[in-house]
Amino acid sequence: MRILLVLLLAACALAGLQTWRISDLTDKADQAQRIIGTLSAGIESRDNAIHRLSDDALRRERQEQSLRTQLSRAGQLARDREIHIQRLLNENQEMRDWYSARLPDGIGRMHQRPAFASAADYLRWLSGGHELPDTGKRTGH
């Protein structure tokens, strides 16, 4: 009977030990699930950021292409305009004389401006109140 009692106590101790181990493993599994949830949320957030950045890069690439196309068109228009002006100059002596004539001083000063480092510098210069010459006065021509 003592052996039976010792075996019964050993079985109870073993059952208690197993219950404690199962409880510990359950806690570790719950902790692992929380870590997996946190990592999944981080991965989803990263994927969303990558998608957003990819969309932004594609949009900027399209804008750049559009600007390059516009620049190309503007360059072609400028070349066409220059060719047209050159053709007119070659055809007409009066036009050549007018084109090569010196501008009056007042108009020449209107075309002069300092070099600007930025658009803000240009805006400050514009709002600086630089006076144009009085058109009622003779400019020397």
Side-chain angles (χ1 to χ4, degrees):
M1 174 105 163
R2 279 188 147 165
I3 295 179
L4 189 59
L5 188 59
V6 170
L7 285 173
L8 187 60
L9 283 175
C12 284
L14 188 59
L17 179 65
Q18 289 300 330
T19 304
W20 175 75
R21 287 181 64 196
I22 289 171
S23 173
D24 186 45
L25 289 174
T26 303
D27 289 344
K28 286 182 180 180
D30 290 343
Q31 183 181 6
Q33 282 299 104
R34 284 192 299 274
I35 290 172
I36 288 171
T38 302
L39 292 175
S40 294
I43 289 171
E44 184 178 342
S45 174
R46 184 208 59 197
D47 288 347
N48 288 339
I50 288 172
H51 183 68
R52 219 176 26 254
L53 290 172
S54 176
D55 287 348
D56 284 350
L58 185 60
R59 181 180 47 82
R60 288 184 182 176
E61 186 178 322
R62 287 180 184 148
Q63 288 175 341
E64 180 183 357
Q65 183 60 37
S66 173
L67 289 173
R68 287 182 188 275
T69 302
Q70 290 174 9
L71 180 62
S72 174
R73 284 187 202 140
Q76 184 60 45
L77 285 173
R79 284 187 295 277
D80 291 348
R81 189 177 313 113
E82 186 63 33
I83 289 170
H84 181 70
I85 289 172
Q86 193 61 42
R87 189 177 310 124
L88 289 174
L89 289 174
N90 290 339
E91 292 174 357
N92 189 337
Q93 179 63 38
E94 185 179 336
M95 180 73 84
R96 277 194 298 272
D97 293 343
W98 173 83
Y99 187 77
S100 62
R102 186 175 182 278
L103 290 174
D105 290 339
I107 294 175
R109 281 193 301 270
M110 287 174 55
H111 287 278
Q112 294 175 350
R113 62 176 181 250
F116 302 107
S118 69
D121 292 342
Y122 178 68
L123 290 174
R124 267 193 299 281
W125 179 80
L126 277 179
S127 61
H130 302 285
E131 292 184 16
L132 296 176
D134 184 3
T135 58
K137 295 180 181 176
R138 295 186 55 101
T139 60
H141 275 351

